Amino acid sequence: MLPLLVAAGIATAPSASADPAPPVIGPAAGSSVPQPGEDAEVTFASGDVTLYGTLRTPVRPRSGVAALLLPGSGPTDRNGNQPGVPANTLGRIADDLAEQGIPSLRFDKFGSGATGLAGLPQNRLVDFGFTDQVTHAAAAATLLSDRTGVPVDRLTVIGHSEGGLTALALADRGIGHGGVGLVEPLPMRYLDLLTAQLNRQLDAAVQDGRLAAADAETSRETLRTSVRSLRETGKLPARPDPLLASIGLVPANATFLAEADALDPVRLADEIPATTPVLLTCSDKDLNVSCDQVGPLRDALDHTALRFAHLANANHLLGELGPFPPGRLDVAVPLPESVEFGTALREWSARLGG
């Protein structure tokens, strides 16, 4: 597995390396009080991969509503956790939805949790792409539909970070028109966001003397060449810059990067049916995605039944920062769920299926 890009929330496809390097951004979240309901372990197949997840059934489930929860980038499991980052992002969303009587399914994406690498050989890992990730999510939607009786086109799909792009891709396949939740989502093409994030970090490294200006410019040029190559050929240069390799821009991840980048979130948002309830969030203290970057996505969703929540004090993993500034060490602090986000989610979900 590959580490997250520093303060970026972007990671790429699973690799066959042993243990993931711990990411350097994101909070460790505090525990939450489970809402009434029962968690049941489930498995489902997608091609030659068996995935493992949890089906949450509230004590009094609402009729006609069920939600599929999709994690962000990197080795993120069914609860929204990574090694060293127990954020519990999706676990808390399942709690919030259960409070509204909404059943939900969350699962360990490929490369994480009980699913792991599914025993696949090295050559299959190299071929793993974003399209596979979406297909796995579609299989999860089928299971959720079978267990709840809600048709796949009427399911609600909620994606956090990179999971927002997965949710939009599912909507493009006709899955999840009962509601689409885009929570601190990837708001532009994958490689455009990665470029913006890396350039910001290079600027900071030059400014504080950690990196020479000439070395930063070399990395920028290699990044431009890499993005161009991915978009034109689907491949990366054979000898990438060491800094870019450290964030996952290596040939083994070319398929995932090229396939994810080929999808434009703004275009996909524009295709969502007008009657679809949509929740879109951004936060002033999200170091990964800014509210300005989310603006074009918001505009593309204006034709839908949109609930836009502009948060003030949540970090990218939806931890409550209160009056404190965001920082790279948030990962070491046990944070409760953002009050603003929890309120927005419950208000939006209370109206689903109406």
Side-chain angles (χ1 to χ4, degrees), residues 180-251:
V180 176
L182 305 175
V183 180
E184 308 301 298
L186 192 152
M188 61 184 71
R189 289 181 66 181
Y190 206 99
L191 295 175
D192 288 341
L193 182 60
L194 188 150
T195 298
Q197 293 169 334
L198 184 59
N199 280 331
R200 184 176 68 244
Q201 293 174 49
L202 290 172
D203 289 341
V206 171
Q207 185 174 5
D208 64 20
R210 289 180 290 118
L211 188 67
D215 292 337
E217 183 52 39
T218 297
S219 292
R220 293 185 212 274
E221 179 55 35
T222 304
L223 177 60
R224 288 190 287 267
T225 300
S226 297
V227 170
R228 184 166 57 249
S229 178
L230 281 168
R231 288 177 172 171
E232 292 177 357
T233 70
K235 298 180 180 180
L236 277 165
R239 295 182 179 178
D241 179 280
L243 175 61
L244 303 187
S246 74
I247 61 168
L249 268 78
V250 293

Side-chain angles (χ1 to χ4, degrees), residues 134-343:
V134 177
T135 298
H136 293 175
T142 298
L143 173 66
L144 180 60
S145 177
D146 290 344
R147 292 295 185 94
T148 64
V150 180
V152 291
D153 64 321
R154 299 309 305 161
L155 292 172
T156 294
V157 178
I158 301 174
H160 171 250
S161 191
E162 181 188 283
L165 181 61
T166 310
L168 288 169
L170 286 180
D172 197 50
R173 295 189 185 189
I175 299 170
H177 293 171
V180 176
L182 305 175
V183 180
E184 308 301 298
L186 192 152
M188 61 184 71
R189 289 181 66 181
Y190 206 99
L191 295 175
D192 288 341
L193 182 60
L194 188 150
T195 298
Q197 293 169 334
L198 184 59
N199 280 331
R200 184 176 68 244
Q201 293 174 49
L202 290 172
D203 289 341
V206 171
Q207 185 174 5
D208 64 20
R210 289 180 290 118
L211 188 67
D215 292 337
E217 183 52 39
T218 297
S219 292
R220 293 185 212 274
E221 179 55 35
T222 304
L223 177 60
R224 288 190 287 267
T225 300
S226 297
V227 170
R228 184 166 57 249
S229 178
L230 281 168
R231 288 177 172 171
E232 292 177 357
T233 70
K235 298 180 180 180
L236 277 165
R239 295 182 179 178
D241 179 280
L243 175 61
L244 303 187
S246 74
I247 61 168
L249 268 78
V250 293
N253 292 317
T255 299
F256 185 94
L257 289 166
E259 290 182 355
D261 180 70
L263 300 178
D264 182 353
V266 172
R267 185 195 67 78
L268 293 172
D270 192 55
E271 297 298 322
I272 292 178
T275 57
T276 305
V278 176
L279 172 66
L280 174 66
T281 77
C282 74
S283 178
D284 294 333
K285 294 184 179 180
D286 185 339
L287 294 180
N288 298 12
V289 178
S290 72
C291 286
D292 285 344
Q293 290 173 326
V294 170
L297 186 59
R298 178 186 180 182
D299 292 343
L301 292 165
D302 272 346
H303 70 285
T304 68
L306 176 64
R307 165 71 158 92
F308 175 59
H310 185 148
L311 313 177
N313 294 314
N315 65 10
H316 186 66
L317 298 182
L318 305 175
E320 176 63 54
L321 290 173
F324 299 102
R328 292 172 57 184
L329 298 181
D330 290 347
V331 65
V333 181
L335 298 173
E337 181 184 61
S338 162
V339 174
E340 297 166 295
F341 171 72
T343 299

